[in-house]
Amino acid sequence: FTSLDGPSLAVCFTCFPLFSYWSIMATESGMVDIKDLRPYVMRMIPSARRRLAALPATRKALRSDLRAMIKKIGPSLGDIYYEKDLNWQKIQMETKRMSMEELDPAQKDEAAKKEE
């Protein structure tokens, strides 16, 4: 089967987990390096270079659209929009109470229909 003696085989088999760990670490660090190199490689491709050059303008447009939406919708949120420190538990309880109040008339209508 092999020309290795018993102690040599034992050393090989006991080192397998260590070699496996090292190979996993080397592969993982290699993948991290490849992910870090991707933006630099993409900059060399002309079509990607045009898309990357257009990104700042796209980001600026998105930022202005988002700010406009927040200015439009924000005041309707009340305290959530105006207050700096919020008690989220209180807000959740108020929201739950308000939703229960909205359901009560519907439940009353269903009860009235059942009585007729």
Side-chain angles (χ1 to χ4, degrees), residues 3-98:
S3 62
L4 295 174
D5 58 345
S8 297
L9 281 173
V11 168
C12 285
F13 279 107
T14 55
C15 288
F16 283 157
L18 181 65
F19 295 149
S20 296
Y21 177 76
W22 284 343
S23 65
I24 290 171
M25 290 295 113
T27 303
E28 184 178 338
S29 65
M31 292 305 293
V32 169
D33 291 341
I34 287 174
K35 289 178 185 177
D36 289 344
L37 288 176
R38 186 175 187 273
Y40 298 113
V41 172
M42 293 301 288
R43 290 188 95 171
M44 290 188 275
I45 300 170
S47 63
R49 190 179 308 159
R50 284 189 293 272
R51 282 185 290 159
L52 289 173
L55 277 179
T58 305
R59 287 184 187 129
K60 186 176 181 180
L62 285 172
R63 186 172 49 241
S64 64
D65 289 347
L66 180 63
R67 287 181 178 164
M69 185 188 77
I70 290 172
K71 284 182 181 179
K72 179 180 177 184
I73 296 173
S76 66
L77 297 175
D79 290 340
I80 295 174
Y81 182 71
Y82 291 111
E83 296 294 324
K84 289 188 178 183
D85 296 323
L86 295 172
N87 183 354
W88 285 104
Q89 188 174 16
K90 179 183 172 187
I91 291 170
Q92 288 177 341
M93 293 300 289
E94 287 178 11
T95 305
K96 186 176 180 181
R97 181 185 52 80
M98 289 171 57

Side-chain angles (χ1 to χ4, degrees), residues 110-116:
E110 288 180 15
K113 288 179 184 177
K114 288 181 183 179
E115 290 177 357
E116 293 176 358

